[in-house]
Amino acid sequence: MSETTNDWKTELRQHPERAVPDRAGEFLAQGQIAHVGFVEDGRPYVIPMLYQYSSQSPDRLYLHSGFSSRTLLRLAEGIPVCVTVTMLDGLVYSRDAKYHSANYRSVMCFGRGRIVEDEQVKRAMFEAMTTRYFPGRTAGHDYAPAPSSHLATTSVVEVVIEEISAKMREGGPKGPQDAQDDAPGTCGVMEV
Ligand SMILES: Cc1cc2nc3c(=O)[nH]c(=O)nc-3n(C[C@H](O)[C@H](O)[C@H](O)COP(=O)(O)OP(=O)(O)OC[C@H]3O[C@@H](n4cnc5c(N)ncnc54)[C@H](O)[C@@H]3O)c2cc1C
């Protein structure tokens, strides 16, 4: 997986100083909602989904759904996919209209999917995913492990990440009057 390239897909042109490629894995591990983008019959779709990511396999993401999921059926064909994970950290308000902004951490992954058939791999993925979303809950103690019949009726797609970029904004407003306490108006950050 190449973290930064000069390829048009992953080069940040707006605010390149906000690029944080070394934090891509950290953001994927922290995120909760993936927006999964793909093209079918020339039309783009972006579908919100839960996902699994572990730093132990830094170039892999996992998505799951029922067998009838259009998204997973398409991704299983190996078509290009773009998965974006965003965390909104704060809303930034400025004394000048132009400098209102947002604090965020986001990561964008480009890759291709492939279906996971192996039951043990699916089971391990689901248990790790459950632990990631519900820290402290363990199979066999807090909930019954999935029987084979449940795993057999659930599709899992592994997205192999080929390229990735990460971007972040933090801190207060950066308007020309925001550092002047006696300037008109108000400024600050509303934490989310
Ligand atoms: C936070 C969140 C997490 C989710 N996690 C998962 C997950 O892990 N696995 C999973 O299978 N599904 C998940 N869903 C539901 C998912 O977004 C899709 O609705 C579902 O997967 C069906 O997808 P499909 O590919 O079969 O779409 P289709 O049913 O083929 O989509 C057909 C059309 O329905 C509409 N549509 C589909 N989904 C949505 C939506 N979410 N919001 C508005 N319109 C929609 C669109 O117009 C779309 O073109 C999640 C939804 C949310 C909001």
Side-chain angles (χ1 to χ4, degrees), residues 36-38 40 45-49 63-77 79 81 157:
V36 180
F38 60 96
E40 182 182 53
Y45 294 89
V46 179
I47 302 289
M49 300 185 81
L63 305 170
H64 79 286
S65 196
F67 276 140
S68 62
S69 161
R70 183 258 304 267
T71 303
L72 262 58
L73 286 171
R74 292 291 82 76
L75 297 194
E77 295 169 356
I79 62 172
V81 59
V157 159

Side-chain angles (χ1 to χ4, degrees), residues 12 14-15 17-20 23 27 85-92 101-107 166-171:
L12 296 187
Q14 295 274 338
H15 289 293
E17 77 283 2
R18 295 180 185 167
V20 285
R23 301 189 66 178
F27 295 170
V85 171
T86 305
M87 289 164 283
L88 179 63
D89 294 322
L91 295 170
V92 181
S101 187
N103 284 339
Y104 60 85
R105 290 160 286 159
S106 59
V107 54
K167 189 173 180 180
M168 176 181 190
R169 187 198 190 280
E170 58 186 345

Side-chain angles (χ1 to χ4, degrees), residues 138-156:
T138 51
H141 182 258
D142 296 299
Y143 62 94
S148 296
S149 58
H150 289 187
L151 294 171
T153 53
T154 306
S155 292
V156 173

Side-chain angles (χ1 to χ4, degrees), residues 28 44-45 53 105 126 130 136 150 190:
L28 286 173
Y45 294 89
Y53 173 83
R105 290 160 286 159
F126 279 121
T130 304
H150 289 187
M190 283 170 49

